Amino acid sequence: MKRKIFQSMLFLALLILGLSLCAAYYVPTTWGWRVWSLLGLLLGAVTLSFLLAGKITRSLIRSLADARLEDLETQTLYEELRPLAGRMLDQNRQIQKQLKKQNTELKREYEKQDRMRRDFTANVSHELKTPLTSISGYAEIIRDGLVKQEDIGRFAGKIYSETQRMIDLVADILKLSQLDEGYQMRMERVSINVYTSCQRVIARLQSTAEQSGMRFMLSGMEGRILGVEKIVEEIIYNLCDNAIKYNRPQGEIFVSISEVGEKILLKVRDTGIGISKEEQARVFERFYRVEKSHSKEIGGTGLGLSIVKHGALYHDARIEMSSVLGEGTEICVLFHKEASAS
Ligand code: ADP
């Protein structure tokens, strides 16, 4: 509507202008006509400029208003977005902090693993070198004829026991490396009756225990867990084997299985030499032995409890130890019950 009025006014103004120009050009120029055509021209020009000025001003005002509106919208949007941007910046800072922390932890863990690996290699080399040096020494003096005929049997026995020590050591190292691999490979877990596993392990160790006049006492109930049978039996074996090795002659070994809430509790208790408080924290370290010469006599590798620790870790099980010097040691492994294991 407004547009139509504007168009008609524009047409009128142009008509007046046109007529005034024609009048000024064709009609005989008397002073009267000149004045009228001048007035017509003026009127047309004023109307035209008024119309155009109005139009230009309106569009100017409109674009100014639009720009202002846009400014206002931008301002409102900015006000709305500012806290959001602040929060995002905070989050970003927190994420960066966390990443930095994780990075440091990973680096520390890597350095720890690297140190452990290097220590392990050094220990393995040392542990293998000791029996090998003995074997080589005994063999050399036999070869050179420096051993009396009647002593040859004794020397051969020493070579045999050193060789046996090496075999045990290599077997334990292999078990530990299999456990390490197991972490990566995720061995298949099956339902295991821990009580039956204990029966099997005790049957294997029965004659060794009997040679020292020791007795195994197994009690408890069927306790089912989800796990790797070979590793679970390895845990039980090492605990029972230690309970024999570090027991007193005619000592007793109590093995029990019980259910404690959502856990299956395996307990191995002996009546042996015990472990001091200070040593208790260290006996699970690889190659750590409370008394090296004593352990050598007994025939340990220093890896048994390490295998127990890693086997328990593999099953997300917890280990608890209590021991009194001269009275005995009790080691508990708390497995997740089959139904509650993930
Ligand atoms: P080892 O092969 O020497 O027995 P372990 O890792 O099994 O190695 O045990 C580490 C050390 O902890 C042993 O050398 C021993 O001194 C001590 N230890 C382990 N079990 C017992 C126990 N039941 N009673 C007393 N001492 C023990």
Side-chain angles (χ1 to χ4, degrees), residues 12-68:
L12 199 68
L14 287 171
L15 193 71
I16 296 170
L17 260 173
L19 283 174
S20 308
L21 276 171
C22 286
Y25 191 76
Y26 291 112
V27 179
T29 50
T30 63
W31 277 108
W33 277 107
R34 274 195 192 130
V35 170
W36 279 115
S37 47
L38 200 65
L39 275 174
L41 267 171
L42 266 171
L43 183 67
V46 167
T47 317
L48 193 65
S49 52
F50 177 75
L51 279 173
L52 288 177
K55 179 84 176 165
I56 290 165
T57 315
R58 262 199 305 281
S59 72
L60 249 171
I61 288 170
R62 200 171 299 133
S63 48
L64 276 172
D66 282 352
R68 177 77 189 128

Side-chain angles (χ1 to χ4, degrees), residues 36 44 61 115 148 176-177 202 237 245 259 316 319 321:
W36 279 115
I61 288 170
R115 206 169 39 245
K148 284 191 230 142
L176 268 178
S177 86
I202 291 172
Y237 183 92
K245 281 194 300 191
E259 211 176 287
D316 195 22
I319 299 178
M321 172 189 263

Side-chain angles (χ1 to χ4, degrees), residues 79-340:
E79 293 297 335
E80 277 173 14
L81 285 178
R82 204 162 62 157
L84 194 72
R87 277 202 298 277
M88 281 174 82
L89 270 173
D90 276 353
Q91 273 177 354
N92 191 22
R93 246 176 260 132
Q94 267 173 8
I95 289 170
Q96 271 185 356
K97 226 192 222 165
Q98 256 176 356
L99 280 175
K100 208 169 154 189
K101 200 173 146 204
Q102 277 174 355
N103 208 7
T104 322
E105 275 168 14
L106 275 176
K107 206 171 145 199
R108 209 171 294 146
E109 182 58 24
Y110 172 79
E111 280 168 2
K112 190 178 146 202
Q113 297 282 342
D114 194 46
R115 206 169 39 245
M116 272 170 65
R117 216 174 6 253
R118 270 186 280 130
D119 285 355
F120 185 66
T121 315
N123 274 320
V124 169
S125 316
H126 175 75
E127 295 293 328
L128 285 175
K129 207 175 154 210
T130 314
L132 272 174
T133 312
S134 303
I135 293 168
S136 160
Y138 293 135
E140 192 180 11
I141 51 174
I142 293 173
R143 184 200 64 191
D144 296 344
L146 298 172
V147 181
K148 284 191 230 142
Q149 194 62 34
E150 63 266 30
D151 286 337
I152 287 184
R154 194 165 54 86
F155 275 78
K158 286 190 179 206
I159 291 176
Y160 175 77
S161 65
E162 290 296 338
T163 321
Q164 230 27 62
R165 208 156 88 81
M166 272 177 62
I167 291 171
D168 289 348
L169 190 67
V170 171
D172 277 357
I173 292 168
L174 271 176
K175 278 173 209 158
L176 268 178
S177 86
Q178 272 166 2
L179 268 174
D180 284 343
E181 268 173 37
Y183 286 127
Q184 287 146 26
M185 289 188 335
R186 305 293 306 165
M187 289 186 253
E188 198 200 339
R189 288 167 194 239
V190 293
S191 169
I192 302 168
N193 179 356
V194 188
Y195 190 85
T196 319
S197 300
C198 287
Q199 281 179 318
R200 268 201 296 269
V201 170
I202 291 172
R204 274 162 68 195
L205 285 167
Q206 194 82 53
S207 66
T208 318
E210 276 167 7
Q211 277 165 24
S212 310
M214 290 175 203
R215 276 194 312 156
F216 267 111
M217 318 267 238
L218 175 64
S219 62
M221 37 138 339
E222 177 179 290
R224 290 217 161 259
I225 64 162
L226 258 193
V228 179
E229 199 151 34
K230 205 170 81 176
I231 301 179
V232 172
E233 287 200 11
E234 206 55 66
I235 293 173
I236 304 169
Y237 183 92
N238 279 291
L239 291 178
C240 291
D241 187 41
N242 280 352
I244 299 173
K245 281 194 300 191
Y246 305 105
N247 214 326
R248 59 174 164 77
Q250 264 66 53
E252 280 163 327
I253 302 142
F254 301 91
V255 181
S256 70
I257 305 296
S258 54
E259 211 176 287
V260 183
E262 291 301 299
K263 311 269 184 209
I264 295 294
L265 172 66
L266 159 72
K267 209 187 272 182
V268 179
R269 181 164 68 84
D270 63 56
T271 50
I273 58 173
I275 309 167
S276 70
K277 271 262 173 299
E278 306 79 65
E279 304 285 356
Q280 281 177 33
R282 300 208 59 191
V283 287
F284 289 92
E285 289 173 21
R286 291 180 183 193
F287 294 110
Y288 189 82
R289 290 181 203 138
V290 172
E291 210 183 307
K292 289 213 181 237
S293 56
H294 181 62
S295 287
K296 194 182 168 194
E297 209 176 281
I298 290 171
T301 60
L303 292 174
L305 287 183
S306 200
I307 292 171
V308 171
K309 182 177 121 183
H310 283 85
L313 266 177
Y314 188 82
H315 288 88
D316 195 22
R318 205 175 72 226
I319 299 178
E320 284 169 9
M321 172 189 263
S322 60
S323 186
V324 179
L325 270 179
E327 281 183 24
T329 303
E330 181 180 275
I331 298 182
C332 298
V333 185
L334 277 144
F335 292 99
H336 293 285
K337 223 158 67 175
E338 182 174 10
S340 64

